[in-house]
Amino acid sequence: MAAEVKAPPLRADPGAPQALVPGAMAELKPYVANDKMQQALGFPGELTDGWHERAIGRMGELLDKYRSLKVYMDACVHCGACADKCHYFIGTQDPLNMPVARQDLMRSVYRRYFTLPGRLFPKLVGARDLTKEVLDQWYSYYNQCSECRRCSVFCPYGIDTAEVTMAAKEIMDVAGLGQKYTNEILGKVHRIGNNLGLPGPALADTLEGLEEDVKEETGQDVRFPLDEKGAEVLLVTPSADFFAEPHVDSLIGYAKVFHAAGIRWTLSSHASEAGNFGLFIGNYDQLQKVALRIREAALDLGVKRIVVGECGHAWRVAYSYWNTLTGIGAGGEDPFARMLQQQLDSRYRQPTHICELTWDLIERGALTLDKDANDHRVVTFHDSCNVARASRMGDHPGGQFEIPRAIIRAVANKYVEMPRGTTREQTFCCGGGGGLLTDELLDLRVKGALPRMEALSQVASGHGVNFMATICAICKAQFTKVLPYYGFKMGMVGGVHQLVSTAIRLGPKQ
Amino acid sequence: MGAPMSIAFALLFYAAFLVLVLGTGYRIATYIRTPAPLKIPTTPAPTTRGGVALRLGREVLFFESLFKANLWLWAAGWLFHVGLALVLLRHLRYFTEPVWGWVAWLQPFGVYAGFAMAAGLAGLWMRRIFVARVRYISTPSDHLMLVLLLAIALTGLGMKYVAHTDIVGVKRFFLGLMYFDWQPLPADPVLYAHLVLVALLMLIFPISKLLHAPGVFFSPSRNQVDDPREHRHVAPWAAGLDPKV
């Protein structure tokens, strides 16, 4: 497979309609989770007898539990507003990667089993039985959606394909057809505490090594504390930050910011993962179970603030769901939420994004920054989908766009925006989100990156951009892998706090 | 009233009205009953309820999201819907006696709106036929829905411009239905066709994609307030899942 993967050519006119290539991606499927991975999450090990009843049964349950799914199944008029908005459709030209067609894989089954016209006149309204073939189609194409929500921006009813994809993954899990990459990782979080399976002692070693590296670079004793009770801040960050490139450079950036501001902080070996793949598979129990580790760590360590590192879907879960799932937030009136919320310092946003924290410090003049240190870089910013379309920073709508950009402008002299229609709420997914960051899907990932690569190529050739900053661990890993397919250096991608790390001056104020 | 045709139409419209109101009411009730367990507004989203009302208002009146998506689609869709809205308001004169002042004032606009509605529908149908990706996602019912609406518009315009029908008689018939004082329906094939199609539209409303009309108000990605850090949002079925403290 790897030998065949090639980047599609950049389009001369991204506005022109594309030809359809039916079936282009039908055969691309991620590896199926084995029975051990499935059972560790409480799902059937494989597609055994009764999968059909389990699938339809769960679909009915989800329709009763989620207004989103219920309304989205009914409301679509097939207008086609979303059809050309998906990066995977743009990159593959497979019509089943059009958001509406992807939704219809489920909507056709919904109509057959849950609506009158679908029961009576299936052909007329495009209703289908849930056969093994249809399930296979689900497995292909619901694993070709990164749940980025770009389509939902353009839908006149706000229909969000991510909600449909999540429901489909939940239904397939319950049928016994799980996806290996996501479900194996969820097992690791439960067993070890993070997605990468890095145990506590190894984490302690890694952090010690980082302290030595930073000492060598700056001459300062910048600490990377682990499990320190009584710290003010618990930092929860994607585990890739601990050793993957370029992620680790942002972790160093966070540590320098805490050091410069004199904030006592700690990481937790129990909650050494901000990512929450429960989101990707749409399973409420998994989502909550993974998130509860952070509540437990916060209570155990007695921290006053919870800060989240650079990770897109983690920030969605933290910002939008933690208060619901774990009580991390404010305004809770039940004992479960109050127990934690009384401990947390209500003068701060709970949880806080690391960019909110850093920007507050910059605004107060608490950091010494040397912008010229980044002069070898011409920077652009890639909005990560979950931050852009499923969360916020600061007090005003759109703060999730302004705050990271404000930080970049404060730490670098040369900043260029990518073309309109490819940034902010209309940003294109990196092509690797939603639980698709796995090698057997590389072909899809390379093709899905096409619209972002087109935008990057414009500012790279037009303005000499050589650094694309982003605040998502998946974006960083995905771009590192796919940039070379488009003729860019993989080192072009990095974190916002990597730039902060370069510019920040430690030691006594000059 | 006597004539079997009049009786048939009277029964048809009572049935269609009941199905429309009760069926759609039932669907709306299920939307209300079904909780939204997680905060999923498409951001940037308003941080207050007033802001959400404005967002929904812009969506319903101006099709804001569709405007961002595709100008031609927006133009055809908006033309059709505004045309339909004006035509429906114009038709109030057949159901009110005396006719309300603003309905009388609206009459000339309502006539042009009939053409706008037909033009919008034609545009939407052309798109469905000639744009490959829209053709790909279209089911037979998608085409038939446009045919139905177009036929309603054309029969309506036909009665206005080609073969006048006895609208005084039509009005007497519908007021009779409303006050249970049944009156004969003028015998006119174009009128029959127009009314059968309208009744059909009413009958399929609660079981078809026409549910997008109430659906837009219940879409969590559009109607939720962006305040998850400030307020704990827990659905009744999810509350029981919190670990005991």
Side-chain angles (χ1 to χ4, degrees):
Chain A
M1 167 69 78
E4 305 164 13
V5 173
K6 265 195 357 212
L10 304 188
R11 294 168 297 166
D13 173 14
Q18 291 176 278
L20 304 183
V21 186
M25 302 300 282
E27 296 314 312
L28 189 74
K29 297 171 169 35
Y31 298 141
V32 174
N34 68 28
D35 53 350
K36 266 198 199 122
M37 298 167 191
Q38 284 286 94
Q39 282 155 5
L41 307 185
F43 299 132
E46 52 192 273
L47 271 187
T48 45
D49 285 347
W51 69 265
H52 184 272
E53 288 66 34
R54 289 200 298 277
I56 298 298
R58 180 55 65 105
M59 194 167 168
E61 272 173 51
L62 293 177
L63 286 164
D64 287 340
K65 282 181 163 180
Y66 289 85
R67 184 185 291 168
S68 52
L69 190 65
K70 180 120 196 131
V71 172
Y72 297 163
M73 284 294 110
D74 281 339
C76 178
V77 299
H78 287 174
C79 73
C82 62
D84 54 352
K85 303 301 186 287
C86 172
H87 54 292
Y88 290 126
F89 171 65
I90 292 170
T92 68
Q93 291 169 269
D94 187 325
L96 288 178
N97 274 327
M98 296 190 292
V100 49
R102 198 188 310 285
Q103 295 163 21
D104 273 358
L105 294 175
M106 182 181 292
R107 194 171 284 117
S108 58
V109 174
Y110 164 76
R111 287 190 170 153
R112 185 77 180 111
Y113 296 88
F114 298 94
T115 74
L116 189 64
R119 284 195 197 108
L120 298 178
F121 316 105
K123 286 242 163 56
L124 178 72
V125 295
R128 299 189 302 174
D129 288 317
L130 180 58
T131 59
K132 181 69 176 49
E133 289 68 40
V134 170
L135 191 72
D136 279 343
Q137 221 179 11
W138 280 32
Y139 193 72
S140 285
Y141 290 101
Y142 284 119
N143 282 301
Q144 296 185 32
C145 167
S146 58
E147 304 172 353
C148 82
R149 315 188 90 198
R150 188 168 193 268
C151 47
S152 83
V153 169
F154 300 98
C155 175
Y157 322 113
I159 297 175
D160 180 5
T161 310
E163 291 291 306
V164 180
T165 294
M166 289 169 189
K169 288 188 176 175
E170 161 96 348
I171 292 166
M172 288 190 284
D173 273 329
V174 170
L177 185 61
Q179 194 236 52
K180 175 176 180 250
Y181 172 70
T182 49
N183 291 6
E184 186 177 29
I185 279 179
L186 278 162
K188 278 187 204 162
V189 178
H190 296 316
R191 269 198 331 277
I192 305 166
N194 54 61
N195 288 1
L196 294 171
L198 192 66
L203 180 56
D205 271 0
T206 306
L207 296 175
E208 221 168 277
L210 287 176
E211 287 183 356
E212 286 162 19
D213 294 348
V214 177
K215 171 89 177 174
E216 212 166 284
E217 177 213 338
T218 65
Q220 300 290 321
D221 287 310
V222 174
R223 300 200 51 228
F224 289 77
L226 182 66
D227 294 331
E228 285 198 2
K229 289 204 178 195
E232 184 191 348
V233 166
L234 168 63
L235 177 76
V236 187
T237 203
S239 54
D241 282 6
F242 298 129
F243 65 87
E245 285 286 349
H247 308 63
V248 69
D249 293 313
S250 284
L251 175 62
I252 293 171
Y254 322 148
K256 287 180 179 174
V257 168
F258 287 128
H259 177 90
I263 297 170
R264 265 197 77 192
W265 66 292
T266 186
L267 293 156
S268 156
S269 56
H270 180 69
S272 48
E273 178 62 63
N276 188 332
F277 280 25
L279 174 74
F280 297 156
I281 63 167
N283 182 282
Y284 195 96
D285 293 335
Q286 289 296 322
L287 192 59
Q288 186 171 38
K289 253 190 203 161
V290 173
L292 280 171
R293 298 182 72 93
I294 291 143
R295 173 188 164 98
E296 290 152 12
L299 289 169
D300 179 49
L301 296 168
V303 295
K304 298 285 176 209
R305 308 172 63 181
I306 302 177
V307 175
V308 180
E310 295 181 357
C311 183
H313 84 278
W315 180 240
R316 176 181 191 175
V317 174
Y319 175 86
S320 295
Y321 303 162
W322 272 1
N323 203 356
T324 299
L325 300 170
T326 70
I328 298 171
E333 278 155 21
D334 52 297
F336 172 79
R338 284 172 58 104
M339 177 181 171
L340 178 62
Q341 293 183 0
Q342 281 165 355
Q343 173 189 315
L344 298 175
D345 187 337
S346 61
R347 290 172 304 170
Y348 296 100
R349 302 181 188 103
Q350 305 285 2
T352 304
H353 194 281
I354 186 71
C355 285
E356 293 180 309
L357 181 134
T358 299
W359 179 240
D360 282 345
L361 292 170
I362 292 175
E363 275 197 304
R364 285 198 275 122
L367 304 179
T368 309
L369 300 166
D370 172 17
K371 292 169 84 156
D372 300 348
N374 274 311
D375 271 356
H376 57 297
R377 291 170 171 147
V378 183
V379 183
T380 192
F381 182 67
H382 163 80
D383 292 278
S384 298
C385 38
N386 276 303
V387 177
R389 290 184 283 261
S391 78
R392 173 161 54 98
M393 288 180 206
D395 295 327
H396 304 290
Q400 68 270 36
F401 311 131
E402 307 309 334
I403 288 176
R405 283 172 172 80
I407 295 175
I408 295 173
R409 288 203 186 88
V411 299
N413 287 310
K414 302 171 199 164
Y415 176 74
V416 180
E417 278 290 342
M418 281 185 279
R420 277 167 61 98
T422 74
T423 57
R424 301 168 70 94
E425 73 265 35
Q426 296 193 16
T427 187
F428 279 104
C429 169
C430 63
L436 308 183
L437 193 73
T438 176
D439 281 347
E440 72 267 24
L441 295 179
L442 188 60
D443 188 30
L444 177 80
R445 289 166 50 192
V446 169
K447 288 174 171 152
L450 176 69
R452 172 51 74 225
M453 292 297 105
E454 289 170 342
L456 178 63
S457 147
Q458 277 198 36
V459 289
S461 55
H463 302 272
V465 164
N466 60 10
F467 191 92
M468 180 164 63
T470 186
I471 46 174
C472 171
I474 289 177
C475 292
K476 291 172 193 169
Q478 156 76 354
F479 284 132
T480 303
K481 185 93 176 184
V482 305
L483 277 167
Y485 286 89
Y486 288 89
F488 295 113
K489 291 202 183 87
M490 66 181 205
M492 257 183 98
V493 66
V496 166
H497 278 77
Q498 184 175 343
L499 299 173
V500 174
S501 177
T502 304
I504 197 166
R505 291 294 161 258
L506 306 177
K509 270 208 162 185
Q510 279 108 32
Chain B
M1 62 176 157
M5 217 44 166
S6 297
I7 297 173
F9 270 99
L11 295 176
L12 176 64
F13 269 88
Y14 280 129
F17 180 76
L18 283 177
V19 168
L20 175 68
V21 172
L22 297 181
T24 309
Y26 171 77
R27 298 307 286 257
I28 290 175
T30 62
Y31 295 157
I32 293 173
R33 233 185 2 250
T34 310
L38 294 166
K39 281 283 196 171
I40 59 164
T42 313
T43 58
T47 54
T48 60
R49 295 189 67 85
V52 164
L54 286 177
R55 181 185 203 179
L56 279 176
R58 290 195 306 274
E59 207 63 271
V60 171
L61 294 177
F62 304 116
F63 301 1
E64 183 180 42
S65 298
L66 200 57
F67 186 79
K68 291 184 210 162
N70 184 309
L71 274 183
W72 283 109
L73 173 60
W74 174 85
W78 198 73
L79 202 60
F80 158 58
H81 282 88
V82 169
L84 176 64
L86 286 172
V87 165
L88 283 175
L89 293 175
R90 179 179 135 87
H91 277 67
L92 280 176
R93 72 172 174 155
Y94 301 120
F95 303 92
T96 50
E97 184 57 45
V99 173
W100 302 330
W102 64 269
V103 175
W105 177 82
L106 205 70
Q107 293 305 306
F109 302 102
V111 175
Y112 293 116
F115 289 102
M117 178 181 158
L121 284 167
L124 290 173
W125 200 14
M126 291 301 103
R127 206 178 127 75
R128 224 175 250 305
I129 293 168
F130 292 112
V131 178
R133 53 177 197 276
V134 186
R135 186 169 59 235
Y136 181 90
I137 55 171
S138 298
T139 61
S141 58
D142 292 327
H143 289 282
L144 288 175
M145 193 67 81
L146 288 170
V147 172
L148 174 62
L149 286 160
L150 205 51
I152 290 172
L154 294 178
T155 49
L157 288 167
M159 283 183 286
K160 171 79 186 163
Y161 290 102
V162 184
H164 279 282
T165 199
D166 172 13
I167 54 166
V168 177
V170 173
K171 178 164 182 171
R172 210 180 293 127
F173 172 78
F174 277 103
L175 285 175
L177 287 187
M178 288 166 65
Y179 297 106
F180 299 100
D181 171 22
W182 297 305
Q183 305 292 324
L185 181 69
D188 171 359
V190 186
L191 176 66
Y192 286 168
H194 188 69
L195 293 182
V196 165
L197 297 173
V198 169
L200 184 60
L201 189 72
M202 292 163 76
L203 285 167
I204 60 174
F205 194 96
I207 54 165
S208 69
K209 66 176 186 177
L210 297 173
L211 285 170
H212 69 277
V216 61
F217 295 97
F218 294 94
S219 172
S221 55
R222 291 290 183 269
N223 77 6
Q224 285 186 338
V225 178
D226 174 16
D227 63 354
R229 287 194 285 196
E230 291 78 20
H231 300 284
R232 186 156 197 251
H233 171 92
V234 183
W237 65 259
L241 301 175
D242 289 344
K244 296 280 160 289
V245 296

PDB file of all heavy atoms in Angstrom, chain B residues 100-118:
ATOM      1  N   TRP B 100     -58.233  40.653   6.254  1.00  0.00           N
ATOM      2  CA  TRP B 100     -57.430  41.565   7.077  1.00  0.00           C
ATOM      3  C   TRP B 100     -56.744  42.594   6.199  1.00  0.00           C
ATOM      4  O   TRP B 100     -56.307  42.290   5.083  1.00  0.00           O
ATOM      5  CB  TRP B 100     -56.380  40.767   7.872  1.00  0.00           C
ATOM      6  CG  TRP B 100     -57.007  39.717   8.754  1.00  0.00           C
ATOM      7  CD1 TRP B 100     -58.234  39.770   9.331  1.00  0.00           C
ATOM      8  CD2 TRP B 100     -56.429  38.459   9.129  1.00  0.00           C
ATOM      9  NE1 TRP B 100     -58.478  38.635  10.062  1.00  0.00           N
ATOM     10  CE2 TRP B 100     -57.386  37.816   9.958  1.00  0.00           C
ATOM     11  CE3 TRP B 100     -55.222  37.824   8.876  1.00  0.00           C
ATOM     12  CZ2 TRP B 100     -57.155  36.548  10.518  1.00  0.00           C
ATOM     13  CZ3 TRP B 100     -54.990  36.578   9.436  1.00  0.00           C
ATOM     14  CH2 TRP B 100     -55.956  35.941  10.255  1.00  0.00           C
ATOM     15  N   GLY B 101     -56.559  43.784   6.745  1.00  0.00           N
ATOM     16  CA  GLY B 101     -55.990  44.895   5.983  1.00  0.00           C
ATOM     17  C   GLY B 101     -54.649  44.562   5.367  1.00  0.00           C
ATOM     18  O   GLY B 101     -54.418  44.774   4.171  1.00  0.00           O
ATOM     19  N   TRP B 102     -53.755  44.002   6.167  1.00  0.00           N
ATOM     20  CA  TRP B 102     -52.402  43.758   5.620  1.00  0.00           C
ATOM     21  C   TRP B 102     -52.408  42.657   4.585  1.00  0.00           C
ATOM     22  O   TRP B 102     -51.573  42.634   3.683  1.00  0.00           O
ATOM     23  CB  TRP B 102     -51.403  43.473   6.747  1.00  0.00           C
ATOM     24  CG  TRP B 102     -51.675  42.214   7.548  1.00  0.00           C
ATOM     25  CD1 TRP B 102     -52.424  42.122   8.677  1.00  0.00           C
ATOM     26  CD2 TRP B 102     -51.175  40.899   7.277  1.00  0.00           C
ATOM     27  NE1 TRP B 102     -52.449  40.834   9.135  1.00  0.00           N
ATOM     28  CE2 TRP B 102     -51.685  40.064   8.299  1.00  0.00           C
ATOM     29  CE3 TRP B 102     -50.377  40.339   6.286  1.00  0.00           C
ATOM     30  CZ2 TRP B 102     -51.420  38.692   8.351  1.00  0.00           C
ATOM     31  CZ3 TRP B 102     -50.102  38.979   6.342  1.00  0.00           C
ATOM     32  CH2 TRP B 102     -50.625  38.173   7.361  1.00  0.00           C
ATOM     33  N   VAL B 103     -53.386  41.736   4.683  1.00  0.00           N
ATOM     34  CA  VAL B 103     -53.478  40.694   3.657  1.00  0.00           C
ATOM     35  C   VAL B 103     -53.940  41.307   2.343  1.00  0.00           C
ATOM     36  O   VAL B 103     -53.424  40.973   1.267  1.00  0.00           O
ATOM     37  CB  VAL B 103     -54.431  39.559   4.109  1.00  0.00           C
ATOM     38  CG1 VAL B 103     -54.619  38.539   2.984  1.00  0.00           C
ATOM     39  CG2 VAL B 103     -53.910  38.878   5.380  1.00  0.00           C
ATOM     40  N   ALA B 104     -54.856  42.246   2.437  1.00  0.00           N
ATOM     41  CA  ALA B 104     -55.321  42.945   1.236  1.00  0.00           C
ATOM     42  C   ALA B 104     -54.172  43.728   0.612  1.00  0.00           C
ATOM     43  O   ALA B 104     -53.962  43.706  -0.605  1.00  0.00           O
ATOM     44  CB  ALA B 104     -56.470  43.891   1.599  1.00  0.00           C
ATOM     45  N   TRP B 105     -53.385  44.388   1.473  1.00  0.00           N
ATOM     46  CA  TRP B 105     -52.255  45.205   1.005  1.00  0.00           C
ATOM     47  C   TRP B 105     -51.221  44.342   0.267  1.00  0.00           C
ATOM     48  O   TRP B 105     -50.558  44.753  -0.668  1.00  0.00           O
ATOM     49  CB  TRP B 105     -51.629  45.882   2.230  1.00  0.00           C
ATOM     50  CG  TRP B 105     -50.416  46.694   1.914  1.00  0.00           C
ATOM     51  CD1 TRP B 105     -50.399  47.976   1.434  1.00  0.00           C
ATOM     52  CD2 TRP B 105     -49.059  46.275   2.037  1.00  0.00           C
ATOM     53  NE1 TRP B 105     -49.098  48.381   1.255  1.00  0.00           N
ATOM     54  CE2 TRP B 105     -48.254  47.367   1.622  1.00  0.00           C
ATOM     55  CE3 TRP B 105     -48.442  45.105   2.465  1.00  0.00           C
ATOM     56  CZ2 TRP B 105     -46.873  47.306   1.610  1.00  0.00           C
ATOM     57  CZ3 TRP B 105     -47.069  45.036   2.462  1.00  0.00           C
ATOM     58  CH2 TRP B 105     -46.286  46.139   2.034  1.00  0.00           C
ATOM     59  N   LEU B 106     -51.126  43.074   0.741  1.00  0.00           N
ATOM     60  CA  LEU B 106     -50.096  42.156   0.250  1.00  0.00           C
ATOM     61  C   LEU B 106     -50.435  41.561  -1.119  1.00  0.00           C
ATOM     62  O   LEU B 106     -49.547  41.022  -1.796  1.00  0.00           O
ATOM     63  CB  LEU B 106     -49.982  41.026   1.274  1.00  0.00           C
ATOM     64  CG  LEU B 106     -48.684  40.253   1.376  1.00  0.00           C
ATOM     65  CD1 LEU B 106     -47.605  41.139   1.974  1.00  0.00           C
ATOM     66  CD2 LEU B 106     -48.887  39.023   2.270  1.00  0.00           C
ATOM     67  N   GLN B 107     -51.698  41.648  -1.530  1.00  0.00           N
ATOM     68  CA  GLN B 107     -52.144  40.881  -2.697  1.00  0.00           C
ATOM     69  C   GLN B 107     -51.263  41.015  -3.943  1.00  0.00           C
ATOM     70  O   GLN B 107     -50.836  40.012  -4.506  1.00  0.00           O
ATOM     71  CB  GLN B 107     -53.602  41.223  -3.039  1.00  0.00           C
ATOM     72  CG  GLN B 107     -54.608  40.757  -1.972  1.00  0.00           C
ATOM     73  CD  GLN B 107     -54.508  39.277  -1.675  1.00  0.00           C
ATOM     74  OE1 GLN B 107     -54.580  38.449  -2.575  1.00  0.00           O
ATOM     75  NE2 GLN B 107     -54.326  38.924  -0.407  1.00  0.00           N
ATOM     76  N   PRO B 108     -50.931  42.249  -4.375  1.00  0.00           N
ATOM     77  CA  PRO B 108     -50.115  42.346  -5.608  1.00  0.00           C
ATOM     78  C   PRO B 108     -48.762  41.672  -5.464  1.00  0.00           C
ATOM     79  O   PRO B 108     -48.285  40.998  -6.385  1.00  0.00           O
ATOM     80  CB  PRO B 108     -49.958  43.860  -5.811  1.00  0.00           C
ATOM     81  CG  PRO B 108     -50.502  44.527  -4.601  1.00  0.00           C
ATOM     82  CD  PRO B 108     -51.327  43.558  -3.846  1.00  0.00           C
ATOM     83  N   PHE B 109     -48.124  41.795  -4.271  1.00  0.00           N
ATOM     84  CA  PHE B 109     -46.822  41.134  -4.078  1.00  0.00           C
ATOM     85  C   PHE B 109     -46.973  39.617  -4.177  1.00  0.00           C
ATOM     86  O   PHE B 109     -46.135  38.927  -4.740  1.00  0.00           O
ATOM     87  CB  PHE B 109     -46.232  41.499  -2.710  1.00  0.00           C
ATOM     88  CG  PHE B 109     -46.058  42.967  -2.521  1.00  0.00           C
ATOM     89  CD1 PHE B 109     -46.962  43.707  -1.765  1.00  0.00           C
ATOM     90  CD2 PHE B 109     -45.007  43.624  -3.144  1.00  0.00           C
ATOM     91  CE1 PHE B 109     -46.803  45.062  -1.596  1.00  0.00           C
ATOM     92  CE2 PHE B 109     -44.840  44.988  -2.979  1.00  0.00           C
ATOM     93  CZ  PHE B 109     -45.745  45.719  -2.200  1.00  0.00           C
ATOM     94  N   GLY B 110     -48.076  39.137  -3.625  1.00  0.00           N
ATOM     95  CA  GLY B 110     -48.319  37.697  -3.630  1.00  0.00           C
ATOM     96  C   GLY B 110     -48.395  37.146  -5.044  1.00  0.00           C
ATOM     97  O   GLY B 110     -47.982  36.023  -5.308  1.00  0.00           O
ATOM     98  N   VAL B 111     -48.906  37.964  -5.968  1.00  0.00           N
ATOM     99  CA  VAL B 111     -49.013  37.499  -7.354  1.00  0.00           C
ATOM    100  C   VAL B 111     -47.622  37.316  -7.970  1.00  0.00           C
ATOM    101  O   VAL B 111     -47.297  36.276  -8.527  1.00  0.00           O
ATOM    102  CB  VAL B 111     -49.841  38.499  -8.188  1.00  0.00           C
ATOM    103  CG1 VAL B 111     -49.828  38.059  -9.651  1.00  0.00           C
ATOM    104  CG2 VAL B 111     -51.266  38.545  -7.651  1.00  0.00           C
ATOM    105  N   TYR B 112     -46.768  38.352  -7.799  1.00  0.00           N
ATOM    106  CA  TYR B 112     -45.404  38.215  -8.326  1.00  0.00           C
ATOM    107  C   TYR B 112     -44.677  37.071  -7.633  1.00  0.00           C
ATOM    108  O   TYR B 112     -43.868  36.368  -8.241  1.00  0.00           O
ATOM    109  CB  TYR B 112     -44.615  39.519  -8.134  1.00  0.00           C
ATOM    110  CG  TYR B 112     -45.150  40.634  -8.975  1.00  0.00           C
ATOM    111  CD1 TYR B 112     -45.696  41.767  -8.396  1.00  0.00           C
ATOM    112  CD2 TYR B 112     -45.132  40.526 -10.368  1.00  0.00           C
ATOM    113  CE1 TYR B 112     -46.214  42.791  -9.170  1.00  0.00           C
ATOM    114  CE2 TYR B 112     -45.649  41.551 -11.158  1.00  0.00           C
ATOM    115  CZ  TYR B 112     -46.194  42.674 -10.556  1.00  0.00           C
ATOM    116  OH  TYR B 112     -46.714  43.667 -11.328  1.00  0.00           O
ATOM    117  N   ALA B 113     -44.983  36.902  -6.360  1.00  0.00           N
ATOM    118  CA  ALA B 113     -44.307  35.858  -5.588  1.00  0.00           C
ATOM    119  C   ALA B 113     -44.569  34.489  -6.194  1.00  0.00           C
ATOM    120  O   ALA B 113     -43.721  33.603  -6.139  1.00  0.00           O
ATOM    121  CB  ALA B 113     -44.765  35.893  -4.134  1.00  0.00           C
ATOM    122  N   GLY B 114     -45.738  34.320  -6.807  1.00  0.00           N
ATOM    123  CA  GLY B 114     -46.038  33.047  -7.452  1.00  0.00           C
ATOM    124  C   GLY B 114     -45.019  32.729  -8.543  1.00  0.00           C
ATOM    125  O   GLY B 114     -44.550  31.602  -8.672  1.00  0.00           O
ATOM    126  N   PHE B 115     -44.650  33.770  -9.296  1.00  0.00           N
ATOM    127  CA  PHE B 115     -43.641  33.563 -10.350  1.00  0.00           C
ATOM    128  C   PHE B 115     -42.265  33.299  -9.735  1.00  0.00           C
ATOM    129  O   PHE B 115     -41.510  32.451 -10.208  1.00  0.00           O
ATOM    130  CB  PHE B 115     -43.578  34.789 -11.280  1.00  0.00           C
ATOM    131  CG  PHE B 115     -44.787  34.913 -12.160  1.00  0.00           C
ATOM    132  CD1 PHE B 115     -45.799  35.829 -11.876  1.00  0.00           C
ATOM    133  CD2 PHE B 115     -44.919  34.084 -13.275  1.00  0.00           C
ATOM    134  CE1 PHE B 115     -46.919  35.923 -12.683  1.00  0.00           C
ATOM    135  CE2 PHE B 115     -46.030  34.180 -14.095  1.00  0.00           C
ATOM    136  CZ  PHE B 115     -47.043  35.108 -13.800  1.00  0.00           C
ATOM    137  N   ALA B 116     -41.956  34.047  -8.665  1.00  0.00           N
ATOM    138  CA  ALA B 116     -40.664  33.856  -8.004  1.00  0.00           C
ATOM    139  C   ALA B 116     -40.543  32.423  -7.504  1.00  0.00           C
ATOM    140  O   ALA B 116     -39.510  31.763  -7.652  1.00  0.00           O
ATOM    141  CB  ALA B 116     -40.520  34.833  -6.832  1.00  0.00           C
ATOM    142  N   MET B 117     -41.640  31.944  -6.921  1.00  0.00           N
ATOM    143  CA  MET B 117     -41.653  30.588  -6.384  1.00  0.00           C
ATOM    144  C   MET B 117     -41.389  29.572  -7.496  1.00  0.00           C
ATOM    145  O   MET B 117     -40.543  28.689  -7.367  1.00  0.00           O
ATOM    146  CB  MET B 117     -43.027  30.353  -5.751  1.00  0.00           C
ATOM    147  CG  MET B 117     -43.248  28.997  -5.173  1.00  0.00           C
ATOM    148  SD  MET B 117     -44.941  28.927  -4.509  1.00  0.00           S
ATOM    149  CE  MET B 117     -45.187  27.160  -4.525  1.00  0.00           C
ATOM    150  N   ALA B 118     -42.088  29.742  -8.618  1.00  0.00           N
ATOM    151  CA  ALA B 118     -41.901  28.794  -9.718  1.00  0.00           C
ATOM    152  C   ALA B 118     -40.482  28.877 -10.275  1.00  0.00           C
ATOM    153  O   ALA B 118     -39.852  27.857 -10.569  1.00  0.00           O
ATOM    154  CB  ALA B 118     -42.927  29.078 -10.817  1.00  0.00           C
TER     155      ALA B 118
END
